[in-house]
Amino acid sequence: MQGFLKDSIEFLPILLQGLRLTLIVTAGSLVLSTALGLLWALMRVSGVPVLAGIAKTFVNTIRGIPIIVQLFYIYFVLPDLGISLTAVQAAIIGLGIAYSAYQSENFRAGIEAIDRGQVEAAQTIGMGWGLTMRRVILPQAFKIVLPPYGNIMIMMLKDSSQASTITVAELALQGKLIASSTFQNTTVFTLVALLYLCMSIPLILLVGHLERRFGRR
Amino acid sequence: MPMIELDNVHKSFGANRVIRGITTHVSKGEVVCIIGPSGSGKSTILRCINGLEGYDSGSIRFEGIPVNRTAKSITAVRTQVSMVFQRFNLFPHRTALENVIEGPVFVKREPRADAQAHGRLLLERVGLADKVGAHPHELSGGQQQRVAIARALAMRPKAILFDEPTSALDPELVGDVLAVMRSLADEGMTMVVVTHEIGFAREVADRVLFLDGGVIAEEGPAAELLTNPRNPRTRDFLRRVLKPL
């Protein structure tokens, strides 16, 4: 136990550097996936067949390709096309796009759960599509969408470790590097797991709180 | 010129021909009640007037503007023709006053303070001065419907369409809503009311349309049509509505 504490004090600063990158990748891809997901969802419910078709095709394509392959594509293939990105940028974009598909399905479910009468009420006071969305539908859909959104956040936090496959030295990769150079596998991976838990447990509690608060209708 | 003109309007849902040639008009200040059995097309024709539903052929005009739900002009029609729904359709995330001022502030771009002052006045007028800050789920059905009427009035409409406004209410709450509607009629508001409240139609309506199978089976002054119907189908319908047992 004493050895564990001693090693921990030695390894923690390096792991915390990894944790910093984990947070950056998670936050960046969360913002990107939310914005893109909302865009796909709005295109899906726009009532314009071309837009809906584009969004549907995009979402299904993204859903059908493993995240890791998408990351490889952005990091290794795009430079061939003249677009080079840093590993962190590629990770944020890759995870952001990959997760936008799940975000969009969640948002769309929330939007479609709103009673049709709400749209009609908005129309009869002269609201157009944009105003109806902004003032009537989205504020109500927000409450429905929030608990699943929290779950997506937790999944993204964990899936940010996939950025390690394109050389982002985030928490999991830092751990692996320390472990392979010190052979302190138990200590290192226990620390890594604990650090992930420290981040995800508050999120899990938050989701529980949101479900209690908004779950009842 | 009549305010609302319908000329040979047809409408189908798939193979189901709901409206089969309706021609009528509503003049300024007139109260027209539409009665008829379920499935006769009465709600559909009402929803066509402000473009909530499209129609297949014929024409509907409001003050000469063709009602076309895909044209830009539909906003002009909708801001002048308000609607009250059977199931209220209040915005659940907003208070009574916020529901009322939503259209004036965000569609008509009235200054918020003016809209609020007008909104309070309207809520007072429908007997809900003390419910200004209440959310819809804190209100009874009758109170919600009166907020919905205030919301319709807040647009300063030239006409209001009522789609079975009391059908979703507990019987003891119907009276308050009908009283508000009656006072609107007394003030000269142009109203088209789809209703099963025959007593209300007899007292308040200038004219009654009896719809059956997507056509106007009988049309006439309220007192005459409701007390002395000529069409046997009207007679049969009224007998069943007034003496259900």
Side-chain angles (χ1 to χ4, degrees), chain B residues 175-216:
Chain B
D176 291 338
V177 172
L178 291 182
V180 169
M181 291 170 61
R182 181 172 299 141
S183 78
L184 287 178
D186 290 345
E187 283 170 29
M189 175 60 77
T190 309
M191 297 162 61
V192 183
V193 187
V194 170
T195 187
H196 292 295
E197 297 289 337
I198 301 302
F200 174 83
R202 186 183 297 128
E203 276 179 55
V204 180
D206 298 306
R207 200 151 48 89
V208 173
L209 311 182
F210 172 68
L211 255 63
D212 192 23
V215 295
I216 298 177

Side-chain angles (χ1 to χ4, degrees), chain A residues 115-128 131 134-137 139-140 143, chain B residues 47 50 52 75 78-79 81-83 85 89-94 102-103 106-107 151 155:
Chain A
D115 183 55
R116 176 87 199 133
Q118 291 290 307
V119 178
E120 295 189 346
Q123 285 178 342
T124 52
I125 55 173
M127 287 188 171
L131 209 49
R134 183 163 66 84
R135 296 289 307 168
V136 178
I137 304 299
Q140 296 183 62
K143 292 177 185 175
Chain B
R47 291 160 56 83
N50 69 351
L52 278 186
T75 306
R78 284 174 177 160
T79 50
V81 184
S82 288
M83 181 148 182
F85 297 90
N89 295 351
L90 291 181
F91 305 130
H93 55 305
R94 305 200 186 281
E102 187 72 15
F106 289 92
V107 178
R151 176 172 70 178
M155 298 299 286

Side-chain angles (χ1 to χ4, degrees), chain A residues 8 15 21-23 25 31 47 65 83 86 88 97 102 105 108-109 112 114 121 131 151 167 183 188 192 207:
Chain A
S8 297
L15 289 176
L21 278 177
T22 292
L23 288 176
V25 169
V31 170
I65 303 172
I83 305 167
T86 68
V88 172
I97 291 177
Y102 306 110
E105 290 304 275
R108 187 168 66 95
E112 286 177 351
I114 305 301
L131 209 49
N151 283 322
T167 77
F183 303 108
V188 172
V192 169
V207 170

Side-chain angles (χ1 to χ4, degrees), chain A residues 6 67 70 83 85 95 99 109 123 154 163 185 195 207 216:
Chain A
K6 194 170 138 281
I67 292 177
Q70 292 182 47
I83 305 167
L85 298 163
L95 284 166
Y99 265 88
Q123 285 178 342
I154 296 165
N185 286 320
L195 286 172
V207 170
R216 62 190 157 76

